[in-house]
Amino acid sequence: MPDLPSASSQRWLTIIGMGEDGPDGLGAEARRRLEAATVVFGGARHHSLAPSLVRGERLEWESPFEKSVEAVVARRGTPVVVLASGDPFLYGVGATLSRYVPVDEIHTIPAPSAFSLAASRLGWPLQDATAISLHGRPLALIRPHLHQGRRIIALTSDAQSPGEFASLLTAAGFGQSRMHLLEALGGKRERVRACLAADFNLDDIDALNVCALEVVASSDARLIAFTPGLDDALFEHDGQITKQEVRALTLGALAPRHGELLWDIGAGSGSIAIEWMLADTSLRAIAIEQSAERAARIARNAEGFGVPAMKVIEGTAPDALAGLPQPDVIFIGGGGSEAGVTDAAIAALKTGGRLVANAVTLEMEAKLIALHAGLGGSLTRIEISRAAPVGGMSGWRPAMPVTQWRWTKN
């Protein structure tokens, strides 16, 4: 028996990253730990890659995956190996297991990730490329990353994903982007092919694949800018939308911070919640909208902007707020003058949380003035004018002024 830590060793769980080259890509330590493990967890593909090295019990991942996590944790203190793909802590099983097993009880032996392998095959500096996982996730997540000249490396779900990816790119105005299809990287079946997204016709695609993209944007491509205050025309709406300039100022007032949850009450088109989520991938948002038609529109907008995880609640505040996760930040854009809405929002907000409310009606403005008088915070008057035809000449046409109240709960 190899000279390994005993079953009572602190680091009882070993996570081994594997490539398509199987045992050939494993070092001496990984081999020793595999041979000494009493049980080895992994997917069917992982087990098929290293059958000769496993002497203990083989267990494949169950569905739901939480059942397998429980099985791993139940063997605490015995030599357990988990086989993973590439780097276990880059969109891998390591990130999941470390939520249940203390890190000082885990020993990890990573292999090159699919991102690293793809970058090396293409000669791309990995630090200059955008790496994103679309494996088991909506393809729409790619949308905010589509900018002229950008290089993107995306993990996919299956053999159908590249074709679906090409269709999304073409429909969004990025059909002239060059797509590289990298299949079974690191193994005997490895293959690298390329074509324009609009001309995608590759077949016999290996289910284990990565798509790399050199983005080319057409003149009418749907580009999502990095700054707040996106063009109103990008949103599907019926006029119930916080206009571009006011939205930019409102996002500045909301001041998104890492990991925060926003409630967007009276969301209309969902523009505030959508731009909130675009600010950082850690941010979450719940859009509350009483109109079924608008709620459906919000969901379509969220998909179109690449933030499909945004939650949409169809209902009327304050009743629709009951039972929702406690927010860090609240925006009230519609319905704030209705009885109980602002009171419920203030009560729900975390201590230290921020509330921003916009008013265009006299009734809502009066409520915000009263709240300012009673609770403090700040009031701002936002007035925007746009040039418009006046006869045969041009003049300034003012939009409806907006009163904005900003407040932090102490």
Side-chain angles (χ1 to χ4, degrees), residues 105-116:
E105 297 181 20
I106 301 174
H107 181 72
T108 303
I109 305 173
S113 69
F115 297 117
S116 294

Side-chain angles (χ1 to χ4, degrees), residues 201-395:
N201 61 355
L202 304 179
D203 57 8
D204 188 30
I205 297 172
D206 195 293
L208 190 66
N209 67 78
V210 177
C211 286
L213 184 68
E214 297 176 86
V215 181
V216 176
S218 65
S219 59
D220 61 347
R222 184 181 171 86
L223 289 163
I224 300 174
F226 296 129
T227 55
L230 298 174
D231 192 331
D232 293 348
L234 290 173
F235 294 88
E236 182 186 346
H237 65 90
D238 59 359
Q240 291 297 312
I241 183 172
T242 303
K243 299 300 189 293
Q244 180 178 8
E245 299 87 352
V246 175
R247 193 181 332 118
L249 293 170
T250 300
L251 266 293
L254 291 168
R257 301 171 188 171
H258 179 84
E260 289 185 324
L261 170 64
L262 170 76
W263 283 4
D264 182 355
I265 300 175
S269 66
S271 63
I272 291 292
I274 287 168
E275 291 212 38
W276 166 275
M277 288 193 67
L278 285 172
D280 189 79
T281 56
S282 70
L283 295 170
R284 298 165 295 140
I286 300 174
I288 300 97
E289 172 55 51
Q290 64 179 351
S291 163
E293 182 179 358
R294 288 176 182 161
R297 188 179 293 121
I298 291 169
R300 292 195 297 271
N301 277 330
E303 177 82 11
F305 280 91
V307 289
M310 192 179 86
K311 189 172 183 180
V312 182
I313 299 295
E314 181 189 332
T316 303
D319 294 343
L321 307 180
L324 297 182
Q326 189 175 24
D328 302 284
V329 184
I330 294 176
F331 172 65
I332 303 176
S337 61
E338 300 298 325
V341 173
T342 55
D343 290 342
I346 289 169
L349 192 63
K350 290 181 180 179
T351 300
R354 307 179 298 284
L355 189 152
V356 176
N358 288 354
V360 292
T361 66
L362 293 176
E363 290 77 8
M364 183 60 178
E365 182 180 64
K367 182 174 286 290
L368 296 187
I369 291 171
L371 287 167
H372 177 255
L375 297 175
S378 64
L379 277 177
T380 303
R381 182 81 156 177
I382 303 170
E383 299 188 62
I384 304 292
S385 296
R386 300 182 181 88
V390 178
M393 305 180 76
S394 298

Side-chain angles (χ1 to χ4, degrees), residues 22-173:
D24 292 343
L26 297 178
E29 182 188 10
R31 289 169 172 268
R32 288 197 304 269
R33 288 178 177 264
L34 258 178
E35 292 171 352
T38 57
V39 61
V40 177
F41 289 85
R45 184 175 65 86
H46 299 126
H47 283 304
S48 69
L49 288 170
S52 62
L53 297 180
V54 179
R55 298 177 181 176
E57 182 183 7
R58 302 169 186 267
L59 291 177
E60 291 188 14
W61 297 126
E62 297 183 66
S63 181
F65 185 67
E66 288 74 15
K67 293 172 66 176
S68 290
V69 173
E70 292 173 1
V72 171
V73 175
R75 288 166 170 78
R76 186 182 187 194
T78 62
V80 174
V81 165
V82 167
L83 296 177
S85 297
D87 185 343
F89 280 88
L90 186 60
Y91 297 112
V93 70
T96 301
L97 290 173
S98 64
R99 294 200 295 266
Y100 301 91
V101 180
V103 69
D104 58 4
E105 297 181 20
I106 301 174
H107 181 72
T108 303
I109 305 173
S113 69
F115 297 117
S116 294
L117 292 173
S120 68
R121 301 300 189 268
L122 298 171
W124 292 2
L126 187 54
Q127 70 272 14
D128 296 333
T130 297
I132 183 171
S133 176
L134 302 177
H135 181 75
R137 307 168 76 197
L139 290 177
L141 291 170
I142 200 69
R143 292 182 182 274
H145 301 287
L146 296 175
H147 285 258
Q148 173 66 33
R150 199 167 201 173
R151 287 174 168 175
I152 300 171
I153 303 174
L155 300 182
T156 60
S157 294
D158 50 36
Q160 288 71 48
S161 296
E164 295 169 353
F165 191 22
S167 297
L168 181 153
L169 292 169
T170 303

